[in-house]
Amino acid sequence: MATNRTFTMLKPDAVEKGHIGAILEKISASGFKIVAMKLTRMTKADAETFYGIHKDRPFFGELVEYMTRGPIVAAILEKDNAVEDFRTLIGATNPADAAEGTIRKMYAASLGENAVHGSDSDDNAAIEGAFHFSGREMF
Ligand code: UDP
Ligand code: MG
């Protein structure tokens, strides 16, 4: 995957609350092109692998429960400087610290249930995109 791509998930809370359309509209309006997208649900094993870096953190069990409790929207997004610009668009991990107008400020309920994921590096964007999509699902 090229370095102008990032990976996102609209997490179960955002899907449950009916925010898919509003969040995708904001992503598109911010200049990101959707090059892969699906509604899917992670198994426990999927979530444990995807968030493996956090496996020793106290919130890991809750994180896996949360991320597997319902469907998510997984997508790969393309834009110049995609990883950094998307992290700016979503805002801080804790919505209480997120800037006004960011997706987490607008749609996240708490530090744990924070509506949206964004890759934190080009390498992780490629790994996370490939975790969810086959080559022929990426455009
Ligand atoms: N998380 C949590 N408690 C914490 C930190 C993180 O429940 O104290 C959850 C939250 O859903 C977050 C995810 O774990 O989005 C991954 O954490 P990370 O620090 O990677 O934050 P992100 O990269 O998503 O901003
Ligand atoms: Mg992270």
Side-chain angles (χ1 to χ4, degrees):
M1 194 183 301
T3 58
N4 59 342
R5 290 185 168 196
T6 192
F7 172 78
T8 187
M9 296 182 288
L10 312 191
K11 298 182 177 183
D13 57 318
V15 175
E16 286 160 10
K17 292 174 184 165
H19 291 150
I20 295 173
I23 294 173
L24 290 179
E25 173 58 30
K26 193 164 172 63
I27 289 170
S28 294
S30 301
F32 293 87
K33 179 182 169 192
I34 296 166
V35 294
M37 187 166 69
K38 66 176 140 193
L39 193 65
T40 185
R41 183 174 183 170
M42 289 201 284
T43 65
K44 188 165 184 276
D46 288 336
E48 287 172 351
T49 301
F50 188 93
Y51 283 111
I53 192 159
H54 296 308
K55 69 178 186 316
D56 296 325
R57 307 282 291 279
F59 59 83
F60 186 66
E62 269 179 35
L63 175 59
V64 170
E65 277 293 308
Y66 159 53
M67 289 302 299
T68 58
R69 78 178 186 214
I72 61 165
V73 174
I76 299 172
L77 305 174
E78 191 171 87
K79 182 185 179 297
D80 288 347
N81 203 35
V83 166
E84 189 184 345
D85 287 2
F86 193 71
R87 295 286 299 200
T88 300
L89 178 65
I90 68 178
T93 306
N94 188 341
D97 302 328
E100 285 301 327
T102 60
I103 292 173
R104 282 169 166 167
K105 185 70 171 188
M106 294 171 75
Y107 299 109
S110 65
L111 170 60
E113 301 204 5
N114 59 5
V116 62
H117 170 81
S119 304
D120 62 6
S121 68
D122 289 337
D123 284 352
N124 283 336
I127 291 166
E128 292 170 1
F131 184 87
H132 282 276
F133 295 98
S134 69
R136 66 192 168 96
E137 295 174 309
M138 300 178 193
F139 296 92

